[in-house]
Amino acid sequence: MEPGSVENLSIVYQSRDFLVVNKHWDVRIDSKMWRETLTLQKQLRHRFPELADPDTYYGFRFCHQLDFSTSGALCVALNKAAAGSAYKCFKERRVTKAYLALVRPGSGIHPGEPDDHQLCYWQEQHRGSGPHHVHRGHPGL
């Protein structure tokens, strides 16, 4: 994936209630700080200025967070009712987030293991106790 820019926002899914985007790595979701040159908030405002809601602090209702260095699907509610529905699903733990990480040879993540690609899979549940190691294998890449 190429580095993020204001123009290259990838849309995974769109309905009248939700927008799911592929957040780039090393891009913050939102920020009010002047030194943040690129955020998902700015990408959304550039691509969908008509969807920005002035009644919200950042202009968009982000249903969950992804860390700065994490890329992946991020859900944005497009109205107050959809945001409430998403919040309820997260609160009642009816939503899970799964993370898939490819670790390159020599990364030091799993010292002493064979020097080939490692496939790691973590599953994190909202408000859970953090990432849980579920499976590690050697894919035929």
Side-chain angles (χ1 to χ4, degrees):
M1 179 187 284
E2 63 188 48
S5 73
V6 75
E7 292 87 17
N8 68 354
L9 178 63
S10 174
I11 308 306
V12 176
Y13 172 80
Q14 185 174 2
S15 70
R16 63 186 171 100
D17 292 324
F18 294 99
L19 180 66
V20 178
V21 298
N22 186 17
K23 184 188 104 45
H24 283 271
W25 46 271
D26 289 353
V27 171
R28 296 195 190 289
I29 292 174
D30 49 40
S31 178
K32 290 279 188 178
M33 299 183 342
W34 62 270
R35 69 178 179 263
E36 294 296 336
T37 57
L38 179 65
T39 63
L40 180 59
Q41 164 197 6
K42 288 180 183 178
Q43 288 179 308
L44 288 167
R45 204 175 282 275
H46 177 79
R47 178 95 174 256
F48 301 103
E50 72 282 2
L51 297 180
D53 185 345
D55 293 335
T56 64
Y57 188 72
Y58 291 108
F60 296 93
R61 292 177 173 89
F62 299 105
C63 297
H64 59 96
Q65 298 285 313
L66 287 178
D67 290 342
F68 171 72
S69 60
T70 303
S71 64
L74 189 121
C75 185
V76 181
L78 299 179
N79 56 62
K80 200 179 235 183
S85 177
Y87 172 78
K88 185 177 178 182
C89 288
F90 276 96
K91 184 179 178 187
E92 295 173 356
R93 297 183 181 187
R94 291 189 285 152
V95 175
T96 59
K97 292 189 269 181
Y99 296 90
L100 182 66
L102 286 177
V103 181
R104 305 239 181 238
S107 66
I109 299 294
H110 297 290
E113 296 217 354
D115 191 23
D116 62 357
H117 284 359
Q118 303 288 319
L119 182 63
C120 302
Y121 179 78
W122 291 273
Q123 181 177 353
E124 177 184 10
Q125 292 192 5
H126 181 69
R127 295 186 185 187
S129 58
H132 303 285
H133 186 77
V134 177
H135 171 77
R136 186 177 76 230
H138 303 281
L141 297 177

